[in-house]
Amino acid sequence: MLDLALQEDHFAFVGAGVMRALLERYRPLEDWQGFADSWNDLAADPYLARVGLHRRRRHAVFAAGAQGPIRRQPHQPHYQSRDYNNLQGGIAREFQPIEDRIAEGATLRTVLEFSRDLFAGLSPQTSQWRIEVHQFRIEARADAAGQPTPEGVHRDGVDYVLVLLIDRHNISSGTTSFHLADGTEIGSFTLTRPLDAALAADRHVYHGVTAVAPLDPDRPAWRDVLVVTFVAAPQA
């Protein structure tokens, strides 16, 4: 059903219970708590800070075939062209790497294997994938809403995207919406529970997330997500 939704609608929402069951077909998420706690040790995003917004993140790159092992690649910058990111495109952005214990842990490895198998089934012609993994914490403050997608409604310039909610603390809103190229909205939902997920065939739809604001302005507020992107790797 999930592959059919991505083929026909080009996006899908998967609730936490279903998502956990799909992932645990591979292995138990035995390190989930440590995985989720690692969002408390993300580095500030210096690029977004220059425009007055608050976000923390870590980043890693992996490579995979249609089957077989998924291998972490040497740490490298994250790059998007201005065609896909009109706010911060055109520059190679250096972020702190995802910690080894997280990159090699059961939860992330399971998410990557599940995603690869799903997306490979949708693109049987793809023999090699480039995978980028981002840990994001969007911080909301009394004087500044948090912006999960500061570039607005956009595409990422990849083939497929998985967004997995890790935590949301003391925030309102954060609604994900999907759009056609002409701006027509074709669906929306809010990730509210850990393991709620949004998936998209990025070449076909645009997406955005509304700003988040603190429910209690005197307490810290954040939205933690894991974003995983897959794009067909160039053939050697």
Side-chain angles (χ1 to χ4, degrees):
M1 293 296 292
L2 184 52
D3 55 353
L4 186 61
L6 288 170
Q7 286 176 324
E8 294 186 350
D9 300 328
H10 307 304
F11 72 93
F13 167 77
V14 183
V18 172
M19 192 67 191
R20 178 176 287 277
L22 290 171
L23 294 174
E24 289 188 338
R25 291 178 181 176
Y26 290 79
R27 64 179 64 81
L29 305 182
E30 58 191 19
D31 64 339
W32 171 262
Q33 192 57 56
F35 178 74
D37 287 346
S38 72
W39 266 255
N40 295 322
D41 191 32
L42 304 186
D45 181 337
Y47 303 94
L48 204 58
R50 293 171 191 168
V51 295
L53 298 176
H54 305 283
R55 178 167 68 185
R56 297 181 179 275
R57 69 191 294 177
R58 288 182 182 267
H59 171 249
V61 178
F62 295 80
Q67 298 178 358
I70 298 175
R71 296 185 174 91
R72 188 171 186 175
Q73 302 300 289
H75 192 58
Q76 54 199 270
H78 173 56
Y79 180 84
Q80 291 175 293
S81 76
R82 291 190 64 83
D83 292 336
Y84 297 108
N85 188 330
N86 58 18
L87 181 64
Q88 297 181 313
I91 57 174
R93 288 178 284 165
E94 296 273 4
F95 298 110
Q96 291 294 313
I98 291 176
E99 295 176 286
D100 289 344
R101 66 182 181 87
I102 300 303
E104 300 301 328
T107 295
L108 184 57
R109 286 291 165 169
T110 300
V111 170
L112 294 181
E113 290 172 20
F114 160 78
S115 301
R116 188 270 308 274
D117 291 350
L118 173 63
F119 300 147
L122 294 169
S123 297
Q125 74 283 1
T126 300
S127 60
Q128 293 292 322
W129 295 100
R130 174 184 170 87
I131 306 166
E132 292 198 49
V133 178
H134 308 261
Q135 291 179 286
F136 285 111
R137 169 166 286 183
I138 306 302
E139 297 178 328
R141 306 185 181 189
D143 60 347
Q147 298 289 343
T149 52
E151 61 273 68
V153 173
H154 67 288
R155 289 172 49 217
D156 287 329
V158 296
D159 292 322
Y160 299 101
V161 181
L162 165 72
V163 181
L164 188 71
L165 185 71
I166 307 302
D167 185 33
R168 50 184 290 148
H169 177 76
N170 187 37
I171 60 166
S172 61
S173 195
T175 296
T176 300
S177 59
F178 290 93
H179 304 257
L180 300 177
D182 64 4
T184 301
E185 183 177 310
I186 55 175
S188 66
F189 45 80
T190 304
L191 306 180
T192 60
R193 297 180 297 165
L195 287 171
D196 276 356
L199 299 98
D202 186 69
R203 293 188 183 276
H204 297 280
V205 290
Y206 291 69
H207 66 276
V209 183
T210 58
V212 296
L215 293 169
D216 180 346
D218 296 324
R219 296 168 51 219
W222 62 76
R223 179 181 188 263
D224 291 349
V225 296
L226 179 77
V227 175
V228 183
T229 65
F230 279 67
V231 65
Q235 297 298 307

